Amino acid sequence: MKPLLPLNEALEQLLANATCRLPGEPVLLEDALGRILAEDQHAVIDVPPADNSAMDGFALRASDAGRKLPVSARVAAGDAGSSLEQNSVARIFTGGEIPVGADAVVMQEDVHQAEGFAQLPRDVRAGQHIRRKGQDCRAGSLLLSRGRRLRPQDMGLLASQGIAQVPVFQKLTVALLSTGNELREPGSGALPSGAIFNSNRPMLFGLLSALGCKVLDLGIVRDTAVATREALLLGAGSADVIVSSGGVSVGEADHVRDAVEALGEIALWRIAIKPGKPFAFGHVASTPFIGLPGNPSSAFVTFLLLARPYLCKLQGREDATLMSRPARADFALTTPGSRQEFLRVSTSQRDGEIWATPYANQSSGVLSSLSASDALAVIPVGETVEQGQPLQIVSLDDLLQ
Ligand code: AMP
Ligand code: MG
């Protein structure tokens, strides 16, 4: 058997051949959350469109500082532009357009007002409390780049430009297969002897949906060569990518790899990570195939580390790079491993630092380890860990975006 492939090499090979072939489609802004921009978006107008007041107060000429002047106008947000009479001030409210002639705003707290007159403070700087035209966005400037996954604040920014509709890539369709004779769907009654519930299906459904993919659920696939090939062909004919769980190990009931090889090719198999060694990647006819291990924790971790970056690239995303963060080990590891290890940890803040505490049972079949965790701690090959030692963690919340 070939030696296990290091994670970074596997990732490099995966991403080298990943290209987005999805057509674009227009969507209304309110439907754009989580979609991937298919074209750069530029500002069409200056925002704000005119100088306006940052305060409730009075608009004035800074050279009139210290004088007592009549209040000649009232300007609220939404009022059309006006001009300021000589030797007067204008009452103004936040967002109100600065009248032509005024060059500063004083806060109402700093003004003594009585019988239609305002006693102005002595210290007034020209330009104070004015939000300048175009200070947020200048017409023509780049707002958001192609390949960006749209967030709520991006939708607000586009709306501030009067943009009601944006071009996004069509959703990536992923065919999902759960292999295993032992699997039963929750809701199908009590478990017969030898059976377990299918936990990977809803978990992978959730992971794919969180990424913004359209999931085509092909259900449970029996552990036979024929059923496996049939399901793979169905997936290849109806989706952009196939994601399966289970059946990629070395057991006699593991038909997935042979079936993929019979219908296409396996390009990658067996990665030097723990959990998740049996991960496989290849093609069924020309449709990319991702084979996740069956153990739920392995399926989850390999999805996040390998399938996620690959699927993001296929979706047209350019902003999916993952940040690891520094933390301290609230544990010790005395035996060095031969694979890069991803411990399921929960984090807490103490003395201004993040501490990582591993879940007690790190077995790849133990799904409660993931529900109890909020990060993965990265342990390099051949290294031990001392209590309090710095290490890198990856937040599960970051990975689910
Ligand atoms: P496999 O990779 O098919 O050899 O499966 C490895 C382990 O994961 C076995 O104990 C399986 O029963 C379990 N397993 C496989 N698929 C699932 C699934 N969809 N849900 C829960 N456990 C699974
Ligand atoms: Mg199996």
Side-chain angles (χ1 to χ4, degrees), residues 6 214 218 252 263:
K214 190 168 139 193
L218 298 186
E252 270 174 26
L263 302 169

Side-chain angles (χ1 to χ4, degrees), residues 200 203-204 273-279 292-306 339 344 362-367 369-370:
N200 289 347
M203 180 178 76
L204 292 168
I273 52 173
K274 186 180 175 183
K277 179 170 74 173
F279 176 90
L292 305 173
N295 273 311
S297 282
S298 311
F300 190 89
V301 169
T302 49
F303 182 94
L304 294 181
L305 298 178
L306 289 152
R339 293 180 266 157
R344 278 80 79 204
Q362 294 282 327
S363 160
S364 54
V366 172
L367 195 46
S369 67
L370 275 165

Side-chain angles (χ1 to χ4, degrees), residues 227-257:
T228 309
R229 269 188 243 155
E230 270 176 11
L232 288 171
L233 282 175
L234 183 59
S238 43
D240 300 311
V241 191
I242 303 167
V243 171
S244 75
S245 81
V248 281
S249 265
V250 288
E252 270 174 26
D254 294 329
H255 293 282
V256 175
R257 243 177 350 102

Side-chain angles (χ1 to χ4, degrees), residues 4 10 48 52 74 115 158 206-207 212 215 225 262 298 315 353 363 390 396:
L4 304 182
N52 69 77
R74 182 184 180 279
E115 289 158 12
L158 291 162
L207 286 166
V215 185
S298 311
Q315 288 179 301
E353 289 190 292
S363 160
L396 292 183

Side-chain angles (χ1 to χ4, degrees), residues 179-182 223 245-248 253-254 294:
T179 76
N181 282 353
E182 72 278 35
D223 288 323
S245 81
V248 281
D254 294 329

Side-chain angles (χ1 to χ4, degrees), residues 323-329 347 352-356 389-394:
M323 283 229 276
S324 59
R325 307 166 192 279
R328 283 193 187 278
T347 60
E353 289 190 292
I354 309 278
W355 288 81
Q389 178 184 318
L391 42 69
Q392 294 292 312
I393 59 166
V394 200

